[in-house]
Amino acid sequence: MIDALWGWPPPVLDPAGPYADKVTTLAWALFGMGVVVTAIVCAALWLAVRGSPRMKALIGGERTIWIGGIAFPGVVLLGLLVWGLTLTASLTQPIRGDEMRIRITGEMWWFRVQYLNADGDIVMEDANELHLPVGVPVVLELEGADVIHSFWVPHLSGKKDMIPGRRTLLRVQADRPGEFGGLCAEYCGSQHALMGFVAIAHKESDWQTWFDDRTTRVARTEMLAETAPPDAMPYPGDAAAYPMELGTLERYDARRGMRLFMESGCAACHRIAGTEANGLAGPDLTHVGSRRSLGAGILPNNRGTMMGWIGDSQSIKPGNRMPSYDVLSAEDIGHIAAFLELQK
Amino acid sequence: MKSETGFDHALYDRFPTEARPDGEVRDLERIWASPKGWRRLTAVNNNYVGFWYIVTAFGFFLAAGVLALGMRIQLAAPMQDVLGVDTYNQFFTMHGTVMMFLFAVPAVEAIGIMLLPQMLAARDLPFPRLSAYAYWAYFVGGTMFFLSLFVGLAPDGGWFMYPPLTSIAFSPGINTDFWLLGIGFIEISAIAGAIEIIVGVLRTRAPGMTLDKMPMFAWAMLVFAVMIVVAFPSVILCTMLLEIERAFNWPFFDATRGGDPLLWQHLFWFFGHPEVYIIFIPAAGLMSMMVATVAQTELVGYRLNVLALVATGFISFGVWAHHMFATDMPRVSAGYFSAASMAVSLPAGIQVFCWIATLASGKIRWSTPALFVVGSVVIFTMGGLTGVMVGMVPFDWQAHDTYFIVAHLHYVLMGGMVFPMFAAFYHWHGMTSSRALSDHVGRWVFWLMFAGLHITFFPMHLSGLMGMPRRIYTYMPGRDLDLLNLISTIGAFIMAAGILLFLIDCTRRFRFTVDNDVGNLYGGGTLEWLPTGLYSTRSIPVITSREPLWDRPDLPREVAEGRYFLPNSATGHRETLITSPLFAEPQYVQLMPGPSAWPLSAAIFTAGFFLSLTVQAYAFAIFCGLVAVVSTLRWVWETDRPIKQDRADIGAGIEMPIAITGPQSHGWWALNTLLVVVGMIGFMALFAYFYLSGINGEVWQTPPPLGETVVILGVEALALLGAWGGRRVLALRSGRMAEDLPWIIQAAAAALLTGALWLDVTGWLESGLHPTESGMGATVFMLSVLQGQVVAVAIVMAIYLAFREARGIMTTPTNVTMDIVGRFIGYCAIQGMVFTLVPRIFPGG
Amino acid sequence: MADRYHSHDRLIYRTMLLAFAIWGGHFILAYGAALVFPGTATANGIALIAACLAVVAIGILAFRLPRPRPTIAFGSLGLSLAAIVFGTLPAVVG
């Protein structure tokens, strides 16, 4: 199973950025208020039932209602309200417009992530992962492609809905490097439960390196140049063509995987920059090999899980939009997985 | 000392009178006797209907609870496959829907029907056949709805059914239509119940029971019913919109054609949040009464409690969008809803401290209801506090749609409704059972439920903060959620054990009875503990205080001896005393209808109508619809029964008229309430029109020419004139036969309305607007659909009027039927004018 | 059977309903302004003016009550006033 990116300590109480930080303070204050008021009510109940006659006489009148039911809550609620409104205002400062922008689209049941340049053009596409530089405020443009989803990375900020026909804006900022789990919070159909996400905060310089690398490099197809055309490939059948000293994994030929990818229907829904695979329905696979997880945060990303996902995604995540490629042989799927593994 | 109606209060001093002959009791028994055998199903008396209602609602509570257990088993450990995703999604949708719509609202309505007449010392609620219809529509429709689960066709979009997930593109099956069907029934029965309760509370109280002396439950039910009348139209409209979008492709919620998914959320939550208070307020009323009985002292802060109920009723209509904080509402708008959410906590605080102060001012008698009462105060307080937390916008952004919310809402609903309901069952079961439930077992029931509740729901606060979203059928291991979820599952079974124990005790000891009950087990001081039969109390006492039984120990005996109002049947028919709304001064004697199979038939065929629509059997739907309409008309046929007397002696030589019309009559109140409902539906539709024009103004186009608009308005004004004129003509024929002219005028008015609607629709079509093409088209033609519905009713009414005239039962100078038809057609004309004018002169965008 | 009727009952219940209706009116105006002029000073101004009017109206209603002031009517005015103060804060704070 993939690494737990949330759990204990509760991410709501373990903030990693300014937009979650202040809410954590508020949350602790609210819990304190809850405990104190519950204690007061329970104590008052106890005294009302079991108290001395004097105590009961003290409580048993309209004055109790005026103090306990009107004045006290009035003051507490007024204070909380002012705090809440001030905090809301500080968390929703107007967006200047020159912030870094990333568009995230909720789809059934994964997140499309598109990095935008200053003009708002898409320069790079990814899925289910958000890489962001530490200490830099990032504006997320949230959209819903089909139904309403909700974007939530509790370490970084509260949630915001992704609504078809609208573009909602959410500001996030990470103050420390790390990986922060996220998920869809609005019920969006059968696989809502398995719609995960990860935000990865890098040091700013590291992020820039990563980003430049991502945007300049396209598909890992360089190995094609040094080999014969795909149809001349020897495997399967001719195991002898492979030197025995290679480990089992290398027996799967990425070159053949690429051909299968293009010809078996994968390319109709998935794009790999620099190849003829141009499908837009599913996640962009240009860098799939470097993703932390498969299936929107539910499987670790390795050859085995990739093979399992390609061959039988419907039993891993029933109802998802990708058919199980059980018509392909295990060998074929292994080749495709080998090819995809290289797409870092 | 002022009088509200001119009734001389000195007349009250004639009571108690001398004891009346016993023979009158036998007359009452004969007149109010219910049919035997299978014909018992045609009974309309509140003792029967109320009891069936409660049993059915409780049955749905159990059924939805079993679904919850199924979900808890599925979630007991990560990555389980006990239910499977499709079944799980149907389970949680049904759990929420059934609990909210088929248990909570009907249950409190049922308790109202069961208890209110007795508490107010009325013979029955004012429209017993309407109660019966509401019950049967609910029973048949709710059962069919629930059965959809067994064929895998249950809805799976969550109980608030957000489009576009529930639109035809993403939910092509008829599962969603079943949801709309199920809700349709509860809308009908809730509205019917609300009308019944408003009129019942305001017009059938015992003489002298001023508003200030009403039992707190009656206050609560009044607020409850008014809230239903204001809130339910919104959900009626949005279920219609969704069904029309699904069936006819009108894009109300489709963003690509100028609709908006958030329109649904506004409409749904404008109903949905008040709904929570609709459930809570009656339970709070019961709590207030039980607290007083448990402590054997009158409620401290009665008036504060009244104003708290009314304040909740109002302010709860200003909080709906706190369910939408995460939709990127502008900050200031969100602030208004946050502020109202804080403000609505104030009245809740008042009530909690009223209860505490009352407990302190008396001497508590521990018993099962006392335990449930005290327990629910604790639970409700905890739920209310998490409610304050999520009312804070920034915290809600984190907590929204997580298990924190699941914990919050269950604490509120359990503490605010379920526990009070159990308390009430124990407290009042002496009214309907010939044997008492075991107090010893009851304490076990309480402690199992109380412990189970905390074990189940308290850990959910934490799992929510740890990142567990609601409505997930499974979760990944290794996230520290395993243990918390296992604890919740164990807790759920502990709670279920408590409820099972309750059921066992009920089977062993509870025996339904209408005249041989064990009575006042806990020493309550209100009128429902007077000796009763199916006719309620023998005579209707004069009320001078809030707890008459505590203050006047002789009262039960005097009432049973017939020494107060209506000690017999003054007309030989079923009847009750109608009193004035404020001071409850006697005004007239209302004749009550007896048992009838027609409400039952109307309900079954209403159910058949909606069900056939759902499964697209349109021919059968038309047949069912016709039978339902005919059954309804047949059931109201007996209104305005010509009877020989026009005045009756209601005891102590006081004479009162029988059956009147106009603003004094209870029928007038009921019709007005219904018109408020219809008007609210229209108002919400106009809201939808303006809302979409503000969001997607670019699809708005120019309206048809002004001249056409003026013509339509003229036609509608003529119809309005006709509606008024028909009644005037009837009045002018006082003392003579009504003849044909009055109904012909009304029929002509209905025809004019039809014509106006036709002109309006064709005008829009000619201007190039089409309902499937844009949000504007959809909302404009939706107004026409709504107008079409009332015009269709107006036509049926005009025909009905003609039939009555043909049979010679049009009484002059006043006639309730004529009164209702005229007013309704007049309303249709006014609504038509508004619907014509608004979109034609306010083109948005 | 003295004190069976308050001669002011009608006034009391009318005041109660009016008190909360004033809250409702303020809420509709403030929220409506925020819908029509989102994020502007105009919207906040309308909310503030509405709040002033509402407070004045509540004051008038309170003044017209008989003395000693009946709990229901006076309490409703107080509760409504509190809700209006709460409901004005979003236009002022932040």
Side-chain angles (χ1 to χ4, degrees):
Chain A
M1 288 298 159
I2 64 166
D3 294 344
L5 296 174
W6 46 266
W8 190 263
V12 172
L13 304 177
D14 179 30
Y19 295 104
D21 198 25
K22 292 172 181 166
V23 183
T24 303
T25 319
L26 176 68
W28 281 115
L30 289 173
F31 299 154
M33 184 269 312
V35 170
V36 169
V37 177
T38 308
I40 290 175
V41 169
C42 289
L45 265 178
W46 177 263
L47 292 175
V49 174
R50 288 282 157 84
S52 64
R54 224 181 100 246
M55 185 53 81
K56 290 182 68 152
L58 195 67
I59 301 177
E62 284 208 8
R63 194 180 44 181
T64 309
I65 307 170
W66 286 103
I67 297 172
I70 299 176
F72 172 67
V75 171
V76 172
L77 291 170
L78 190 67
L80 284 177
L81 181 61
V82 171
W83 186 1
L85 292 171
T86 324
L87 184 53
T88 313
S90 82
L91 294 176
T92 53
Q93 293 294 326
I95 285 162
R96 296 194 311 273
D98 58 349
E99 295 93 342
M100 178 176 153
R101 289 212 170 211
I102 300 169
R103 180 176 302 155
I104 305 185
T105 310
E107 314 212 3
M108 286 164 129
W109 291 277
W110 59 285
F111 295 92
R112 189 189 294 274
V113 182
Q114 292 163 325
Y115 294 78
L116 309 180
N117 66 14
D119 299 330
D121 304 322
I122 300 164
V123 289
M124 198 260 288
E125 185 164 322
D126 204 350
N128 305 323
E129 267 180 27
L130 168 68
H131 293 259
L132 70 172
V134 164
V136 177
V138 177
V139 171
L140 304 178
E141 294 182 352
L142 304 176
E143 295 182 355
D146 30 43
V147 302
I148 302 174
H149 303 271
S150 190
F151 180 85
W152 188 35
V153 181
H155 286 284
L156 296 183
S157 87
K159 57 185 71 67
K160 188 141 287 187
D161 290 352
M162 311 170 112
I163 304 163
R166 291 180 179 234
R167 175 174 294 168
T168 52
L169 301 179
L170 177 68
R171 228 169 331 191
V172 294
Q173 179 179 329
D175 280 348
R176 57 178 152 97
E179 299 190 0
F180 308 111
L183 40 90
C184 173
E186 180 66 66
Y187 177 64
C188 56
S190 79
Q191 287 302 326
H192 165 60
L194 301 181
M195 184 166 165
F197 186 82
V198 59
I200 301 161
H202 306 269
K203 275 190 251 152
E204 199 173 352
S205 52
D206 295 353
W207 183 83
Q208 198 59 51
T209 317
W210 170 87
F211 187 70
D212 293 343
D213 182 51
R214 275 281 173 104
T215 44
T216 48
R217 223 182 44 212
V218 290
R220 295 295 179 106
T221 53
E222 56 266 33
M223 65 283 190
L224 291 179
E226 52 200 63
T227 60
D231 21 316
M233 278 192 254
Y235 198 82
D238 191 4
Y242 290 82
M244 286 311 287
E245 61 265 27
L246 282 177
T248 315
L249 287 179
E250 281 74 12
R251 290 165 64 86
Y252 292 111
D253 187 345
R255 289 167 297 181
R256 187 158 181 283
M258 176 164 174
R259 192 188 63 178
L260 286 164
F261 185 90
M262 300 301 166
E263 292 172 359
S264 308
C266 312
C269 291
H270 295 285
R271 172 177 175 270
I272 297 180
T275 73
E276 64 213 64
N278 242 332
L280 295 176
D284 188 307
L285 299 182
T286 311
H287 306 286
V288 67
S290 63
R291 290 210 187 118
R292 297 292 193 280
S293 71
L294 290 182
I298 57 173
L299 294 172
N301 186 6
N302 57 45
R303 178 91 51 97
T305 54
M306 182 65 91
M307 288 175 69
W309 178 260
I310 297 170
D312 201 8
S313 72
Q314 286 302 325
S315 63
I316 298 172
K317 196 168 170 177
N320 88 83
R321 296 294 189 253
M322 175 161 150
S324 291
Y325 277 84
D326 44 11
V327 291
L328 296 179
S329 69
E331 308 292 342
D332 291 347
I333 292 174
H335 289 289
I336 296 175
F339 165 67
L340 291 176
E341 199 176 49
L342 288 175
Q343 310 307 316
K344 300 236 183 223
Chain B
M1 213 190 269
K2 284 201 299 188
S3 172
E4 186 182 3
T5 60
F7 180 82
D8 180 7
H9 290 161
L11 291 174
Y12 287 146
D13 297 331
R14 295 190 189 177
F15 298 99
T17 58
E18 293 304 305
R20 306 274 301 201
D22 282 346
E24 289 176 351
V25 181
R26 280 187 289 281
D27 284 345
L28 278 174
E29 277 166 359
R30 178 179 47 77
I31 291 167
W32 286 87
S34 60
K36 298 276 181 278
W38 68 269
R39 297 193 63 87
R40 177 69 47 91
L41 296 181
T42 64
V44 296
N45 184 267
N46 78 300
N47 286 289
Y48 288 106
V49 175
F51 182 69
W52 298 336
Y53 225 139
I54 289 173
V55 170
T56 311
F58 190 70
F60 281 119
F61 171 76
L62 295 177
V66 169
L67 298 183
L69 291 179
M71 292 192 285
R72 279 321 317 170
I73 293 173
Q74 164 75 11
L75 291 178
M79 297 305 279
Q80 287 206 98
D81 200 20
V82 181
L83 289 182
V85 52
D86 292 332
T87 312
Y88 185 88
N89 290 346
Q90 292 184 13
F91 267 37
F92 79 68
T93 303
M94 289 297 276
H95 171 74
T97 308
V98 171
M99 282 295 190
M100 294 301 272
F101 291 105
L102 296 185
F103 162 61
V105 178
V108 289
E109 221 164 83
I111 294 177
I113 288 174
M114 186 87 198
L115 291 182
L116 272 180
Q118 270 83 346
M119 276 186 187
L120 306 174
R123 293 245 185 268
D124 203 335
L125 282 167
F127 307 101
R129 290 188 177 179
L130 188 62
S131 299
Y133 172 76
Y135 168 71
W136 287 113
Y138 154 72
F139 174 78
V140 177
T143 308
M144 284 182 184
F145 172 59
F146 195 84
L147 291 180
S148 67
L149 197 59
F150 296 99
V151 286
L153 286 177
D156 54 3
W159 85 274
F160 37 76
M161 284 274 158
Y162 282 174
L165 180 62
T166 50
S167 300
I168 202 85
F170 301 102
S171 297
I174 62 169
N175 308 46
T176 304
D177 304 296
F178 265 107
W179 186 86
L180 296 165
L181 162 89
I183 301 313
F185 282 108
I186 211 60
E187 286 160 358
I188 291 173
S189 79
I191 297 279
I195 292 174
E196 176 94 297
I197 285 163
I198 290 176
V199 180
V201 170
L202 287 178
R203 303 304 307 279
T204 65
R205 302 199 302 274
M209 187 191 275
T210 60
L211 284 182
D212 202 35
K213 294 186 181 63
M214 279 205 302
M216 196 50 83
F217 181 62
W219 265 113
M221 289 310 280
L222 183 61
V223 177
F224 156 91
V226 172
M227 287 182 72
I228 283 190
V229 164
V230 182
F232 265 73
S234 188
V235 74
I236 293 176
L237 180 74
C238 72
T239 47
M240 277 199 275
L241 297 187
L242 184 56
E243 191 52 51
I244 290 176
E245 174 172 306
R246 289 175 58 84
F248 305 110
N249 193 24
W250 294 17
F252 298 105
F253 310 113
D254 179 356
T256 60
R257 284 179 288 166
D260 185 30
L262 290 190
L263 173 61
W264 170 274
Q265 299 191 13
H266 279 292
L267 289 175
F268 186 86
W269 288 119
F270 183 79
F271 149 79
H273 202 88
E275 155 88 348
V276 178
Y277 290 97
I278 284 172
I279 292 166
F280 161 69
I281 281 178
L286 294 171
M287 284 282 288
S288 297
M289 293 186 69
M290 287 186 287
V291 161
T293 307
V294 160
Q296 288 291 299
T297 178
E298 67 173 30
L299 185 71
V300 177
Y302 174 93
R303 296 195 173 97
L304 287 172
N305 216 314
V306 168
L307 85 90
L309 290 175
V310 176
T312 311
F314 271 89
I315 300 176
S316 62
F317 282 97
V319 302
W320 78 88
H322 70 204
H323 295 265
M324 300 165 62
F325 284 157
T327 60
D328 205 30
M329 295 174 73
R331 171 175 66 84
V332 177
S333 299
Y336 289 133
F337 291 100
S338 180
S341 307
M342 300 286 135
V344 84
S345 314
L346 289 173
I350 294 178
Q351 286 177 295
V352 166
F353 279 89
C354 272
W355 299 332
I356 292 176
T358 309
L359 288 175
S361 76
K363 175 98 184 71
I364 190 165
R365 280 200 214 160
W366 283 112
S367 59
T368 307
L371 280 172
F372 271 103
V373 162
V374 173
S376 66
V377 174
V378 173
I379 300 165
F380 178 70
T381 304
M382 293 172 73
L385 289 168
T386 49
V388 169
M389 298 180 195
V390 295
M392 306 282 285
V393 180
F395 184 75
D396 183 68
W397 285 337
Q398 287 284 19
H400 179 64
D401 271 340
T402 67
Y403 262 72
F404 192 89
I405 300 293
V406 177
H408 157 69
L409 72 92
H410 282 96
Y411 266 89
V412 174
L413 292 173
M414 291 275 188
M417 196 269 174
V418 176
F419 273 64
M421 210 61 31
F422 271 86
F425 190 88
Y426 275 102
H427 189 267
W428 274 284
H429 77 276
M431 274 177 66
T432 51
S433 174
S434 55
R435 292 172 65 191
L437 295 184
S438 156
D439 195 59
H440 180 71
V441 177
R443 288 170 193 235
W444 273 97
V445 172
F446 168 76
W447 284 112
L448 283 170
M449 284 180 67
F450 188 74
L453 172 112
H454 287 290
I455 297 170
T456 311
F457 295 108
F458 199 81
M460 289 185 185
H461 293 110
L462 190 54
S463 46
L465 294 175
M466 282 166 63
M468 181 162 163
R470 321 162 62 165
R471 302 175 164 181
I472 51 171
Y473 73 97
T474 192
Y475 52 94
M476 309 290 287
R479 291 179 184 174
D480 310 304
L481 291 173
D482 314 20
L483 181 64
L484 290 173
N485 275 290
L486 185 62
I487 294 173
S488 288
T489 302
I490 293 169
F493 278 89
I494 295 176
M495 190 153 48
I499 293 167
L500 185 65
L501 197 58
F502 171 78
L503 280 180
I504 293 171
D505 198 32
C506 278
T507 2
R508 281 169 52 100
R509 296 201 173 80
F510 189 90
R511 295 292 175 269
F512 178 72
T513 176
V514 288
D515 46 14
N516 183 32
D517 52 68
V518 280
N520 199 349
L521 292 166
Y522 301 99
T526 35
L527 296 180
E528 72 273 23
W529 300 114
L530 288 171
T532 56
L534 275 174
Y535 46 86
S536 195
T537 54
R538 157 87 193 273
S539 60
I540 301 176
V542 179
I543 302 304
T544 50
S545 66
R546 285 180 201 141
E547 274 93 9
L549 268 61
W550 291 348
D551 304 332
R552 292 153 65 192
D554 287 339
L555 190 66
R557 189 176 46 80
E558 291 167 3
V559 164
E561 288 171 359
R563 297 169 65 183
Y564 286 97
F565 284 102
L566 276 187
N568 53 2
S569 174
T571 60
H573 296 280
R574 294 187 179 202
E575 61 199 12
T576 194
L577 195 58
I578 299 290
T579 52
S580 66
L582 210 54
F583 293 153
E585 294 162 4
Q587 287 187 295
Y588 65 97
V589 176
Q590 182 209 342
L591 297 180
M592 310 273 274
S596 165
W598 295 109
L600 177 59
S601 150
I604 289 173
F605 285 96
T606 313
F609 173 72
F610 282 114
L611 190 73
S612 338
L613 279 187
T614 307
V615 300
Q616 289 155 11
Y618 295 115
F620 191 64
I622 292 171
F623 166 74
C624 289
L626 285 177
V627 178
V629 169
V630 170
S631 302
T632 314
L633 294 179
R634 182 63 189 78
W635 125 40
V636 295
W637 187 256
E638 286 156 36
T639 322
D640 296 323
R641 270 178 294 187
I643 84 165
K644 293 185 187 71
Q645 284 169 272
D646 61 354
R647 297 186 73 76
D649 179 356
I650 57 170
I654 301 170
E655 288 224 328
M656 282 289 151
I658 299 168
I660 58 172
T661 61
Q664 301 290 320
S665 81
H666 65 288
W668 184 87
W669 285 62
L671 178 71
N672 283 8
T673 315
L674 184 66
L675 292 184
V676 171
V677 172
V678 181
M680 273 301 293
I681 296 178
F683 176 77
M684 299 314 291
L686 287 174
F687 165 80
Y689 172 83
F690 281 112
Y691 178 83
L692 287 187
S693 81
I695 301 289
N696 292 312
E698 68 279 359
V699 302
W700 249 245
Q701 62 174 64
T702 44
L706 199 60
E708 183 185 295
T709 310
V710 173
V711 172
I712 299 172
L713 288 178
V715 175
E716 275 154 351
L718 267 180
L720 184 61
L721 191 68
W724 173 80
R727 289 167 60 217
R728 284 300 301 157
V729 171
L730 189 75
L732 289 175
R733 302 196 167 179
S734 175
R736 292 182 284 146
M737 290 299 288
E739 293 179 4
D740 285 330
L741 190 57
W743 80 260
I744 289 178
I745 296 177
Q746 296 293 4
L752 285 172
L753 287 174
T754 318
L757 181 61
W758 186 78
L759 285 176
D760 193 25
V761 171
T762 49
W764 278 109
L765 285 173
E766 277 163 24
S767 78
L769 193 69
H770 199 271
T772 59
E773 275 158 19
S774 70
M776 179 186 186
T779 43
V780 166
F781 285 102
M782 187 63 209
L783 295 176
S784 310
V785 168
L786 293 177
Q787 179 67 6
Q789 288 172 350
V790 292
V791 169
V793 175
I795 293 170
V796 172
M797 281 182 163
I799 296 170
Y800 176 71
L801 208 56
F803 266 95
R804 290 184 79 87
E805 165 54 34
R807 296 293 297 273
I809 47 175
M810 283 281 270
T811 54
T812 54
T814 51
N815 181 291
V816 173
T817 310
M818 183 64 173
D819 214 34
I820 286 174
V821 174
R823 281 176 184 282
F824 188 82
I825 291 181
Y827 169 83
C828 295
I830 294 169
Q831 175 177 296
M833 290 182 188
V834 175
F835 283 2
T836 306
L837 202 56
V838 170
R840 285 166 183 254
I841 60 172
F842 295 113
Chain C
M1 291 218 181
D3 189 35
R4 202 187 279 150
Y5 313 98
H6 289 275
S7 49
H8 298 298
D9 270 13
R10 204 180 283 274
L11 176 67
I12 289 171
Y13 294 117
R14 194 193 297 133
T15 307
M16 171 178 81
L17 293 179
L18 279 174
F20 294 115
I22 291 171
W23 168 83
H26 173 259
F27 178 84
I28 290 170
L29 273 177
Y31 175 54
L35 277 186
V36 179
F37 313 104
T40 61
T42 318
N44 293 347
I46 292 176
L48 282 173
I49 293 169
C52 293
L53 291 177
V55 170
V56 170
I58 284 180
I60 292 173
L61 286 178
F63 182 76
R64 286 176 41 192
L65 287 179
R67 314 297 148 96
R69 295 194 176 91
T71 311
I72 291 189
F74 199 52
S76 303
L77 290 170
L79 211 52
S80 172
L81 183 67
I84 289 169
V85 170
F86 279 28
T88 311
L89 286 174
V92 184
V93 176

